[in-house]
């Protein structure tokens, strides 16, 4: 009988202990005994990259404990891993729209070739719980298919990031913010090292271009074919957005960010890393594949209007033929200024009366025109006017329109007009850039972009 009661007591103690342990997870560390929603986490080991020399011999050990909040990475390496870190913002939240853009702008084949890794780097447990709940609701399929992983690194893994030296005379709050951000990226990059052949760093407030992964894959193939050294390819000119690395170099990059986390902002450190990896110049591709969407910064909710002028979400001009009587340099033909992409028209010194004429595939109601010229402040179009035309005619040399009307002139190599349809209500068949004065410099037309409106039931967009 005594043995029976001892067994009963042991069971009760065991159950009580388990209950106490489960309830302790409901408490916020360092706060009063306030109960919040339970954060379901479990420890996860990162896959170790065997391609990096620092990992092969466990040199420069960087031991980090990760908590897996949602999803699970596939054991099969993808082409691309995409990493972003997110913290609680004083104003606004852009994480869910950023993830929606990444997946919606990708085809099923592209999504199967990538994994998105989100580091929730805020130590507010309730914020993490609510954010994970949102992610699980919005991206259940992506989580199930191993296309999305959500992580957290406990605060005890971080070295001090307050009371640091004030390089560049930054405010203490700013120093703490950017120093912790470097650590966040270090841990994120280290975890992602073996998940893909290449790694793309973005921020948690960006919009993605259509089929960005296919574009990146094509650019990587072109770069590898050149047989030149590269450490970082840039698909946006902004901050730490759209920066691509070879995954074999990520363990080294993670340690670099960790070692110098308090010295300077992450986008400055990445430039130093690129130099150390013997890439002499930045390799920036245009148009940009990612655009900053946020209005308020993650640092104290300050207003941030930063935009990438070279971003084109999925721009396509209407079908058209392009003609010019200016001499093209090499293969920089006039049609390149009309088509989406980074190529451009490059012509020798234009004379007064020269033209570049776009003949639309059909009558088009034009609502806006934007023309950019020059490169690095050189080869700008100095004197010209923009015209729209009607009634297409064909000559022995090319096609044009019978009559034109001027809609404006260039200023500092740029022309832009919007809401044209309020004044020019009929459809146009041509757009012409007419040179009004000769210039000695050559001419680069980098892009011609128009916006259009539907005409009755005809779709000309």
């Amino acid at each position: 009988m005594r043995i029976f009661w001892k067994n009963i007591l042991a069971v009760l103690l065991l159950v009580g202990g388990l209950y106490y342990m489960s309830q302790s997870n409901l408490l916020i560390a360092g706060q009063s005994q306030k109960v919040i929603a339970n954060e379901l986490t479990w420890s996860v080991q990162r896959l170790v990259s065997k391609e990096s020399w620092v990992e092969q011999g466990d040199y420069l050990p960087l031991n980090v404990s990760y908590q897996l909040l949602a999803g699970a990475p596939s054991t099969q390496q993808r082409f691309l891993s995409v990493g972003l870190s997110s913290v609680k913002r004083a104003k606004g939240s852009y994480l869910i729209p950023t993830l929606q853009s990444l997946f919606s702008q990708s085809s099923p084949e592209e999504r199967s070739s990538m994994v998105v890794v989100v580091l929730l780097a805020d130590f507010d447990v309730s914020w993490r719980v609510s954010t994970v709940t949102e992610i699980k609701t919005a991206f259940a399929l992506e989580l199930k298919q191993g296309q999305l992983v959500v992580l957290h690194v406990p605060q005890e893994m971080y070295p001090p990031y307050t009371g640091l030296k004030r390089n560049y005379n930054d405010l203490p709050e700013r120093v703490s913010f950017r120093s912790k951000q470097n650590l966040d990226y270090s841990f994120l990059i280290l975890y992602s090292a073996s998940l893909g052949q290449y790694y793309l760093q973005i921020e948690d407030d960006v919009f993605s271009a259509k089929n960005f992964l296919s574009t990146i894959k094509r650019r990587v193939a072109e770069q590898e074919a050149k047989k030149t050294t590269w450490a970082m390819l840039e698909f946006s000119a902004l901050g730490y957005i759209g920066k691509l690395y070879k995954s074999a170099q990520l363990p080294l990059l993670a340690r670099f960010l960790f070692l110098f986390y308090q010295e300077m902002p992450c986008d400055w450190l990445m430039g130093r890393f690129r130099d150390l990896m013997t890439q002499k110049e930045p390799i920036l591709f245009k148009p940009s594949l990612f655009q900053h969407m946020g209005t308020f910064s993650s640092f104290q909710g300050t207003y941030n209007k930063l935009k990438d002028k070279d971003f084109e979400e999925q721009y396509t001009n209407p079908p058209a033929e392009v003609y010019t009587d200016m001499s093209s340099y090499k293969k920089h033909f006039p049609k390149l200024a009309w088509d989406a992409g980074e190529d451009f028209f490059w012509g020798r010194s234009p004379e007064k009366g020269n033209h570049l004429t776009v003949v639309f595939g059909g009558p088009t109601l034009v609502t806006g025109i934007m023309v950019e010229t020059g490169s690095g402040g050189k080869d700008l179009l100095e004197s010209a006017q923009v015209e729209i035309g009607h009634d297409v005619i064909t000559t022995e040399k090319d096609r044009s329109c019978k009559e034109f009307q001027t809609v404006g002139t260039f200023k500092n190599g740029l022309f832009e007009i919007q809401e044209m349809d309020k004044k020019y209500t009929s459809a146009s068949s041509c757009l012409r850039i007419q040179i009004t004065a000769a210039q000695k410099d050559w001419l680069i037309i980098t892009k011609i972009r128009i916006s259009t409106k539907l005409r009755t039931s005809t779709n000309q967009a």
Side-chain angles (χ1 to χ4, degrees), residues 63-78:
N63 299 316
V64 186
S65 296
Y66 294 92
Q67 293 177 350
L68 189 61
L69 305 184
S74 171
T75 55
Q76 183 178 1
Q77 189 182 57
R78 309 287 175 94

Side-chain angles (χ1 to χ4, degrees), residues 37-268:
N38 191 16
E39 181 178 35
L40 297 177
T41 71
W42 55 91
S43 298
V44 61
Q45 295 293 326
R46 68 181 180 89
L47 299 175
V48 177
S49 172
K50 295 301 183 182
E51 298 180 77
S52 173
W53 65 268
V54 291
E55 299 274 73
Q56 289 173 359
D58 197 26
Y59 303 108
L60 298 174
L62 180 55
N63 299 316
V64 186
S65 296
Y66 294 92
Q67 293 177 350
L68 189 61
L69 305 184
S74 171
T75 55
Q76 183 178 1
Q77 189 182 57
R78 309 287 175 94
F79 172 79
L80 183 69
S81 59
V82 183
L84 59 152
S85 174
S86 187
V87 295
K88 182 180 180 181
R89 293 172 179 260
K91 295 180 180 180
S93 177
Y94 311 100
L95 175 59
I96 299 300
T98 296
L99 294 174
Q100 288 172 335
S101 177
L102 283 169
F103 291 117
S104 66
Q105 296 291 72
S106 304
S107 68
E109 293 77 18
E110 289 170 329
R111 289 197 294 271
S112 66
S113 298
M114 72 177 181
V115 56
V116 179
V117 183
V118 178
L119 177 68
L120 297 185
D122 204 285
F123 302 127
D124 184 329
V125 182
S126 59
W127 175 82
R128 292 201 307 271
V129 169
S130 62
T131 302
V132 169
T133 301
E134 278 191 89
I135 291 174
K136 286 182 176 180
T137 301
F139 305 101
L141 181 61
E142 289 78 7
L143 289 166
K144 182 180 179 181
Q145 295 180 343
Q147 298 168 6
L148 178 60
V149 178
V150 185
L151 302 170
H152 176 66
V153 174
Q155 189 169 5
E156 57 265 24
M157 292 288 103
Y158 285 74
Y161 52 84
T162 58
L164 304 177
K165 57 183 179 180
R166 294 173 57 190
N167 290 352
Y168 314 108
N169 203 33
D170 282 346
L171 293 174
E173 296 81 5
R174 181 69 187 178
V175 173
S176 295
F177 172 81
R178 61 171 170 79
S179 297
K180 180 183 177 297
Q181 190 176 55
N182 285 332
L183 295 168
D184 295 339
Y185 287 140
S186 172
F187 299 154
L188 171 64
I189 288 169
L190 183 67
Y191 181 86
S192 304
S194 292
L195 301 184
Q197 299 173 43
Y198 298 91
Y199 172 80
L200 179 72
Q201 179 68 54
I202 64 171
E203 296 180 3
D204 68 342
D205 55 356
V206 301
F207 189 83
S208 307
K210 190 74 173 178
N211 303 122
F212 67 90
L213 187 143
S214 294
T215 302
I216 288 174
K217 187 175 290 188
R218 175 168 55 86
R219 292 300 191 187
V220 167
E222 293 171 356
Q223 197 64 36
E224 295 289 5
K226 294 179 181 179
K227 305 296 183 182
T228 56
T229 299
W230 68 270
M232 180 176 71
L233 303 182
E234 301 183 47
F235 294 93
S236 171
L238 301 180
Y240 216 174
I241 299 173
K243 305 306 187 265
L244 186 84
Y245 299 92
K246 300 174 183 177
S247 290
Q249 296 176 353
L250 292 185
L252 200 58
L253 175 60
R255 287 162 172 83
F256 181 78
L257 291 172
F258 187 89
L259 287 171
F260 299 100
Y261 77 97
Q262 60 179 292
E263 302 300 332
M264 61 185 69
C266 55
D267 48 338
W268 293 12

Side-chain angles (χ1 to χ4, degrees), residues 1 43 71 95 114 171 175 178 199 249 302 328 332 376-377 397 401 414 420 453:
M1 191 69 173
S43 298
L95 175 59
M114 72 177 181
L171 293 174
V175 173
R178 61 171 170 79
Y199 172 80
Q249 296 176 353
T302 53
S328 300
H332 295 281
K397 295 183 179 179
C401 275
L414 178 68
M420 287 177 54
K453 181 182 287 187

Side-chain angles (χ1 to χ4, degrees), residues 234-239 241-243 284-285 288-291 308:
E234 301 183 47
F235 294 93
S236 171
L238 301 180
I241 299 173
K243 305 306 187 265
L284 175 63
F285 294 104
S288 299
L289 297 181
F290 304 94
Q291 178 64 285
D308 191 329

Side-chain angles (χ1 to χ4, degrees), residues 213-424:
L213 187 143
S214 294
T215 302
I216 288 174
K217 187 175 290 188
R218 175 168 55 86
R219 292 300 191 187
V220 167
E222 293 171 356
Q223 197 64 36
E224 295 289 5
K226 294 179 181 179
K227 305 296 183 182
T228 56
T229 299
W230 68 270
M232 180 176 71
L233 303 182
E234 301 183 47
F235 294 93
S236 171
L238 301 180
Y240 216 174
I241 299 173
K243 305 306 187 265
L244 186 84
Y245 299 92
K246 300 174 183 177
S247 290
Q249 296 176 353
L250 292 185
L252 200 58
L253 175 60
R255 287 162 172 83
F256 181 78
L257 291 172
F258 187 89
L259 287 171
F260 299 100
Y261 77 97
Q262 60 179 292
E263 302 300 332
M264 61 185 69
C266 55
D267 48 338
W268 293 12
L269 282 174
M270 74 179 182
R272 302 295 197 279
F273 182 79
R274 183 198 65 218
D275 293 339
L276 289 170
M277 299 301 289
T278 70
Q279 179 183 323
K280 296 181 179 179
E281 300 291 338
I283 303 174
L284 175 63
F285 294 104
K286 297 180 182 180
S288 299
L289 297 181
F290 304 94
Q291 178 64 285
H292 180 257
M293 73 162 72
T295 304
F296 299 100
S297 170
S298 54
F299 175 61
Q300 298 184 342
T302 53
Y303 181 69
N304 185 357
K305 62 179 181 180
L306 197 63
K307 296 294 179 185
D308 191 329
K309 64 181 181 64
D310 295 312
F311 175 77
E312 293 185 358
E313 175 190 345
Q314 189 189 6
Y315 186 84
T316 304
N317 273 326
E321 297 173 349
V322 185
Y323 304 93
T324 186
D325 58 355
M326 290 178 279
S327 176
S328 300
Y329 177 65
K330 293 187 176 180
K331 295 184 178 181
H332 295 281
F333 302 122
K335 187 68 159 55
L336 297 175
W338 181 255
D339 294 337
E342 65 180 59
D343 291 324
F344 50 87
F345 167 65
W346 198 357
R348 292 177 169 84
S349 304
E351 299 288 339
K352 181 179 180 179
N354 282 154
H355 72 90
L356 185 147
T357 302
V358 179
V359 181
F360 304 140
T364 302
L365 185 57
V366 180
T367 61
I369 302 172
M370 189 274 288
V371 184
E372 288 185 1
T373 71
S375 177
K378 299 179 179 179
D379 294 342
L380 295 165
L381 182 49
E382 298 171 0
S383 181
Q385 61 190 30
V386 176
E387 306 164 337
I388 53 175
H390 308 85
D391 302 327
V392 176
I393 57 174
T394 303
T395 67
E396 293 181 0
K397 295 183 179 179
D398 55 26
R399 301 174 73 213
S400 186
C401 275
K402 186 176 181 180
E403 57 181 25
F404 287 89
Q405 58 187 135
T406 302
V407 297
T409 58
F410 277 80
K411 182 178 291 186
N412 300 321
L414 178 68
F415 176 83
E416 186 167 10
I417 185 173
Q418 299 296 332
E419 299 183 337
M420 287 177 54
D421 52 313
K422 291 183 177 180
K423 182 177 181 180
Y424 307 97

